[in-house]
Amino acid sequence: MLIAAIDPMEQFLIHKVLALPPVTVGGLTMDLSITNAVVMMLVAGMLISLLFAASAKGALVPGRMQALGETLFDLIDGTLVTPIIGHHGKPYIPFVLTIFMLVLMMNLMGVVLSVGGVAGLHLNFTPTAQLAVTATLAVLTFVSVLVIGFVKNGLNMYKLFVPSGMPLLMVVFMVPIEMISFFVRPLTLAMRLFGNILGGHVVMNIFASFVVALGALGLTGGLASLGFLGAGASLAMVVALTGLELVVAGLQAFVFAALATVSLNEVVNLGHGH
């Protein structure tokens, strides 16, 4: 049957767009071919660059693009960085804003910006539905926080795992727990973003397949014409889920940036509040 031929996981397959010869470094062979994932991430980066280039007017009375850029900046500054980190967090606004915009744009790619399989290129792809992408973002964020922490605090970073005022006997038990909690953060960051984006797209694809399958069934006539009702209901669900996915795209980007800000606060304000 038609519905059996529709694979909701096919949209997440990696396809080569431009095959390049492998490169060997230190005995490790790496395939540097350009894939649909790479293309969509490059597109996301270019769109972000164009957005902020168009918004960097500096006009006294901002236009639409400048107002959008300022709104995004104020969202990160006024909602995350300053309330969580305090005035010491101003230098890190570009870092958090970049994380937020990159995740947001890649999330949106699979909802409103995907271009489908044009010329067999399979560009209908959401980068954040790939665990490798979300894990890379999470690890880079985590490493950046560690580097900032060591630059600001040096060897005093140990205070991150030893809460102030804790009895020495309790330190033996709490330090391993605090270290596990800290070093597991990249995993939770990656899995949360990956799971939410993957699950939403799978559900949307399944309901979209119902539209096609039930519509085709309705064309056979007779009692099977009731399939049009099911196709209509499924189409309504696809529309509703599309709206929900737009919300999830923004929410997950905000959550990712918020958790990165919380981690930054711990190393910027090590041992004291702001």
Side-chain angles (χ1 to χ4, degrees):
M1 291 183 63
L2 177 62
I3 192 170
I6 299 174
D7 182 5
M9 302 305 292
E10 184 179 2
Q11 60 184 308
F12 306 115
L13 294 179
I14 301 293
H15 300 278
K16 288 185 180 180
V17 175
L18 177 62
L20 298 175
V23 175
T24 302
V25 178
L28 177 64
T29 301
M30 296 179 291
D31 187 355
L32 300 181
S33 298
I34 305 300
T35 65
N36 51 346
V38 174
V39 170
M40 296 306 273
M41 285 188 283
L42 289 174
V43 170
M46 288 188 293
L47 289 173
I48 295 170
S49 300
L50 290 173
L51 169 63
F52 283 106
S55 64
K57 302 298 182 181
L60 183 61
V61 180
R64 292 180 179 178
M65 293 304 297
Q66 183 177 335
L68 175 60
E70 292 177 355
T71 299
L72 292 169
F73 183 89
D74 290 339
L75 174 66
I76 299 303
D77 181 16
T79 308
L80 291 180
V81 177
T82 300
I84 294 176
I85 302 178
H87 66 277
H88 299 296
K90 293 295 183 182
Y92 309 106
I93 293 176
F95 172 68
V96 179
L97 180 61
T98 300
I99 293 172
F100 171 75
M101 288 302 303
L102 190 58
V103 175
L104 175 64
M105 191 62 72
M106 290 194 294
N107 286 350
L108 291 174
M109 299 294 272
V111 185
V112 296
L113 298 178
S114 55
V115 295
V118 176
L121 295 181
H122 303 284
L123 297 181
N124 185 6
F125 191 84
T126 309
T128 44
Q130 287 287 328
L131 185 57
V133 174
T134 60
T136 300
L137 284 173
V139 170
L140 287 176
T141 301
F142 180 75
V143 170
S144 299
V145 169
L146 279 180
V147 171
I148 292 170
F150 277 108
V151 169
K152 285 188 65 66
N153 305 292
L155 296 179
N156 286 328
M157 275 289 286
Y158 79 90
K159 295 180 180 178
L160 193 62
F161 310 113
V162 183
S164 59
M166 179 172 292
L168 185 61
L169 182 61
M170 289 298 297
V171 169
V172 178
F173 299 100
M174 289 303 299
V175 168
I177 296 175
E178 291 289 338
M179 293 186 69
I180 292 173
S181 174
F182 184 77
F183 286 103
V184 82
R185 288 180 184 179
L187 177 62
T188 58
L189 269 178
M191 292 300 295
R192 179 185 291 106
L193 178 58
F194 160 72
N196 278 280
I197 301 303
L198 178 76
H201 282 66
V202 167
V203 173
M204 283 183 62
N205 188 277
I206 290 174
F207 275 101
S209 69
F210 288 162
V211 176
V212 177
L214 294 175
L217 179 64
L219 291 174
T220 60
L223 189 60
S225 298
L226 293 174
F228 288 124
L229 296 177
S234 297
L235 180 60
M237 283 297 301
V238 170
V239 173
L241 287 170
T242 300
L244 179 62
E245 281 299 289
L246 289 173
V247 174
V248 170
L251 182 61
Q252 288 303 313
F254 186 82
V255 169
F256 198 99
L259 293 175
T261 306
V262 170
S263 295
L264 270 173
N265 174 59
E266 291 182 346
V267 298
V268 172
N269 297 300
L270 184 63
H272 56 82
H274 61 264

